[in-house]
């Protein structure tokens, strides 16, 4: 059942191209994005004036990624909140608020309570969920299922990538309803998403060097992750994977924050993973990150750089270079997360840990 793999997680990493393709399938019909279940009218969707994404753990990171796309496409304010924080604040919600609840299991207690809190204040709730008929989609006004297939490994991998794709479909559905994207633009964005399974497959074919690097890093005390823009939530996700699987101190930072504190942590030999944006897509951000890498390298960090293939400017500053295919900026998390999953799994295996069942963790957190 592990398909020849030692762990479910390793199989699930390999399944990511299919998880993405299956999640997209059937959601673009006659030139329009369609959800799986919609118990609110198109008018209600058109009238949305604010979006909250609520979720926990990796699902929360998928929301942080989606914020960039949803704001860009819909011109609506999007706030992404940890479900456990959202419900104990006093968020400003009304019937024009759309709360997107992202959950692989659909049973996470914090996320469930967050949507109950939202619905009690008349907000509309849209669930992005990987489990048919789970509690969260049952209590939602609209549902988009991720079709990643059952995820057994406690660390989320294929569900996370599928959540990003599904969140993007939600963004396109709102943009389409509001008319902030023309039909041909929606079609183009969807086509770009459809090209992603092949891009992820390409990344998977090159991860042997990442595995070797993982074995080298097994004795590190800590690893830092840096990113900007959509690379920032990828850095957070890379750090979460490493914490939960390898029990290693890991932290993700927004690269722009480096000088506001984290650079003090840099010391000789400290591995720092940097998620680079495309040199073409975001030239300004790219230049800023190159400057960040040169600064941390000058202070002795061992730089591990995930960059678009052919990005020569970054090469002199990368002690280790992990290349990923060129894809549109908003879609980069779908390729750049994959090496980080592999890295965390390999470090954990080298340390002798069971990557399917990390200590102290449950697959589905049904208590608060
Ligand atoms: O089932 P959910 O998507 O609601 O679960 C949310 C988190 O518990 C989950 O993503 C967790 O952070 C994973 N272990 C991360 O790999």
């Amino acid at each position: 059942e592990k398909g020849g793999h030692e762990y479910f997680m390793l199989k699930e990493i390999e399944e990511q191209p299919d998880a993405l393709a299956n999640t997209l399938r059937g959601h673009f019909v006659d030139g329009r994005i369609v959800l799986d279940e919609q118990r609110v009218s198109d008018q209600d969707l058109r009238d949305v004036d604010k979006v909250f994404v609520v979720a926990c753990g990796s699902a929360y990171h998928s929301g942080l990624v989606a914020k960039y796309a949803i704001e860009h496409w819909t011109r609506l304010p999007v706030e992404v909140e940890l479900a456990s924080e959202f419900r104990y604040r006093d968020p400003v919600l009304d019937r024009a608020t759309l709360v997107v609840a992202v959950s692989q299991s659909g049973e996470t207690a914090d996320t469930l309570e967050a949507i109950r809190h939202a619905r009690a204040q008349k907000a509309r709730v849209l669930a992005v969920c990987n489990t048919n008929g789970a509690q969260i989609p049952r209590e939602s006004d609209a549902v988009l299922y991720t079709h990643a297939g059952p995820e057994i490994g406690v660390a989320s991998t294929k569900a996370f990538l599928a959540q990003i794709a599904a969140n993007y479909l939600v963004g396109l559905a709102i943009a389409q309803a509001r008319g902030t994207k023309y039909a041909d633009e929606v079609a183009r964005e969807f086509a770009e998403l459809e090209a992603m399974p092949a891009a992820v497959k390409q990344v998977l074919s090159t991860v042997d060097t990442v595995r070797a690097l993982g074995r080298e890093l097994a004795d590190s005390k800590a690893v830092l992750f840096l990113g900007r823009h959509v690379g920032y939530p990828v850095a957070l996700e890379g750090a979460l994977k490493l914490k939960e699987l390898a029990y290693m101190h890991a932290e993700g930072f927004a690269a722009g924050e480096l000088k506001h504190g984290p650079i003090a942590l840099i010391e000789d030999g400290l591995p720092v993973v940097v998620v680079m944006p495309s040199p073409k897509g975001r030239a300004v951000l790219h230049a800023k990150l190159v400057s960040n890498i040169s600064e941390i390298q000058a202070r002795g960090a061992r730089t591990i750089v995930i960059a678009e293939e052919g990005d020569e400017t970054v090469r002199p500053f990368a002690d280790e270079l992990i290349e990923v295919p060129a894809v549109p900026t908003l879609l980069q998390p779908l390729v750049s997360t994959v090496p980080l999953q592999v890295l965390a799994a390999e470090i954990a295996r080298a340390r002798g840990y069971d990557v399917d069942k990390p200590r102290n963790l449950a697959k589905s957190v049904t208590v608060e």
Side-chain angles (χ1 to χ4, degrees), residues 112-136:
L112 183 57
E113 290 304 327
I115 69 167
R116 287 179 175 160
H117 181 71
R119 287 197 63 169
Q121 290 170 73
K122 307 276 181 274
R124 320 284 175 173
V125 175
L126 189 159
V128 170
C129 182
N130 197 45
T131 314
N132 238 295
Q135 198 62 25
I136 290 170

Side-chain angles (χ1 to χ4, degrees), residues 272 276 293-294 297 301-307 311-322:
V272 182
M276 288 298 294
I293 307 177
S294 70
Q297 201 186 35
R302 177 173 182 186
T303 59
I304 299 159
V305 180
I306 302 188
D311 180 353
E312 291 305 324
T313 40
V314 86
R315 202 174 275 278
F317 307 105
D319 296 324
E320 316 290 341
L321 184 63
I322 300 169

Side-chain angles (χ1 to χ4, degrees), residues 86-87 89-97 114-124:
F86 175 85
R87 49 176 303 219
R89 287 197 302 111
D90 194 5
V92 182
L93 305 165
D94 58 33
R95 55 179 68 250
T97 311
I115 69 167
R116 287 179 175 160
H117 181 71
R119 287 197 63 169
Q121 290 170 73
K122 307 276 181 274
R124 320 284 175 173

Side-chain angles (χ1 to χ4, degrees), residues 2 5-12 152-155 245 348-349 353-359 361-363:
K2 293 180 194 153
H5 292 277
E6 185 187 349
Y7 289 106
F8 282 108
M9 182 191 172
L10 307 179
K11 172 169 170 265
E12 289 161 1
I152 312 290
V154 163
L245 296 171
R349 285 169 75 201
Y353 303 140
D354 178 338
V355 300
D356 282 342
K357 293 193 193 65
R359 69 185 180 201
L361 293 172
K363 180 63 184 164

Side-chain angles (χ1 to χ4, degrees), residues 66-193:
K67 174 183 166 87
Y68 296 86
I70 303 177
E71 285 185 341
H72 181 60
W73 292 334
T74 68
R75 308 310 299 136
L76 289 176
V78 179
E79 291 188 41
V80 188
E81 291 236 21
L82 293 166
S84 54
E85 289 293 323
F86 175 85
R87 49 176 303 219
Y88 291 112
R89 287 197 302 111
D90 194 5
V92 182
L93 305 165
D94 58 33
R95 55 179 68 250
T97 311
L98 181 71
V99 173
V100 180
V102 186
S103 175
Q104 187 285 130
S105 61
E107 304 289 350
T108 298
D110 284 313
T111 312
L112 183 57
E113 290 304 327
I115 69 167
R116 287 179 175 160
H117 181 71
R119 287 197 63 169
Q121 290 170 73
K122 307 276 181 274
R124 320 284 175 173
V125 175
L126 189 159
V128 170
C129 182
N130 197 45
T131 314
N132 238 295
Q135 198 62 25
I136 290 170
R138 279 217 301 270
E139 294 191 23
S140 296
D141 301 298
V143 185
L144 186 63
Y145 282 107
T146 46
H147 290 279
E151 193 178 60
I152 312 290
V154 163
S156 188
T157 53
K158 61 177 182 172
F160 173 71
L161 255 59
Q163 281 161 350
I164 294 175
N167 293 348
Y168 279 15
L169 293 179
V170 170
L172 290 175
I174 304 169
Q176 160 185 284
R178 288 170 49 76
T180 50
K181 279 258 168 218
Y182 294 120
D184 61 325
E185 295 172 303
V186 173
R188 201 175 53 237
E189 300 291 353
F190 188 82
E192 285 180 348
L193 276 166

Side-chain angles (χ1 to χ4, degrees), residues 29-357:
V29 182
D30 296 333
R32 290 186 67 77
I33 301 287
V34 286
L35 306 174
D36 287 309
E37 293 169 22
Q38 191 178 327
R39 296 180 276 274
V40 285
S41 65
D42 287 345
Q43 181 69 41
D44 286 338
L45 214 50
R46 197 160 30 245
D47 290 345
V48 165
D49 66 9
K50 180 171 56 181
V51 179
F52 280 100
V53 182
V54 295
C56 307
S58 292
Y60 166 71
H61 296 155
S62 83
L64 291 177
V65 170
K67 174 183 166 87
Y68 296 86
I70 303 177
E71 285 185 341
H72 181 60
W73 292 334
T74 68
R75 308 310 299 136
L76 289 176
V78 179
E79 291 188 41
V80 188
E81 291 236 21
L82 293 166
S84 54
E85 289 293 323
F86 175 85
R87 49 176 303 219
Y88 291 112
R89 287 197 302 111
D90 194 5
V92 182
L93 305 165
D94 58 33
R95 55 179 68 250
T97 311
L98 181 71
V99 173
V100 180
V102 186
S103 175
Q104 187 285 130
S105 61
E107 304 289 350
T108 298
D110 284 313
T111 312
L112 183 57
E113 290 304 327
I115 69 167
R116 287 179 175 160
H117 181 71
R119 287 197 63 169
Q121 290 170 73
K122 307 276 181 274
R124 320 284 175 173
V125 175
L126 189 159
V128 170
C129 182
N130 197 45
T131 314
N132 238 295
Q135 198 62 25
I136 290 170
R138 279 217 301 270
E139 294 191 23
S140 296
D141 301 298
V143 185
L144 186 63
Y145 282 107
T146 46
H147 290 279
E151 193 178 60
I152 312 290
V154 163
S156 188
T157 53
K158 61 177 182 172
F160 173 71
L161 255 59
Q163 281 161 350
I164 294 175
N167 293 348
Y168 279 15
L169 293 179
V170 170
L172 290 175
I174 304 169
Q176 160 185 284
R178 288 170 49 76
T180 50
K181 279 258 168 218
Y182 294 120
D184 61 325
E185 295 172 303
V186 173
R188 201 175 53 237
E189 300 291 353
F190 188 82
E192 285 180 348
L193 276 166
E194 278 191 309
M196 293 311 292
V200 172
K201 205 171 268 178
Q202 189 185 328
V203 179
L204 289 169
S205 69
T206 62
V207 288
D208 278 350
T209 48
V210 180
R211 293 206 174 94
L213 176 64
R215 290 189 289 275
E216 271 181 49
L217 296 180
D219 294 326
S220 307
K221 280 205 310 264
V223 179
L224 303 186
F225 295 77
L226 295 181
R228 268 188 106 111
H229 192 260
V230 288
Y232 169 43
V234 172
L236 296 177
E237 176 64 7
L240 176 61
K241 290 283 98 84
L242 195 55
K243 278 175 214 166
E244 69 175 337
L245 296 171
Y247 320 147
M248 195 182 270
H249 178 233
E251 259 194 273
F253 297 105
E257 280 290 292
L258 205 53
K259 290 191 183 64
H260 300 282
I263 199 163
L265 291 169
I266 305 294
E267 56 186 28
D268 224 26
L270 178 76
V272 182
V273 178
V274 185
V275 184
M276 288 298 294
S278 162
K280 289 165 253 141
R282 293 276 162 154
V284 180
L285 292 187
H286 184 273
K288 291 198 162 143
L289 266 164
V290 169
S291 132
N292 287 147
I293 307 177
S294 70
E295 282 163 353
I296 58 175
Q297 201 186 35
R299 287 165 178 77
R302 177 173 182 186
T303 59
I304 299 159
V305 180
I306 302 188
E308 185 173 298
E309 54 191 5
D311 180 353
E312 291 305 324
T313 40
V314 86
R315 202 174 275 278
F317 307 105
D319 296 324
E320 316 290 341
L321 184 63
I322 300 169
E323 291 187 302
V324 291
V327 299
T329 296
L330 288 171
L331 301 180
Q332 278 167 2
L334 296 173
V335 290
S336 51
T337 302
V338 177
L340 303 188
Q341 298 166 339
V342 173
L343 188 70
E346 205 54 43
I347 294 177
R349 285 169 75 201
R351 287 160 77 98
Y353 303 140
D354 178 338
V355 300
D356 282 342
K357 293 193 193 65

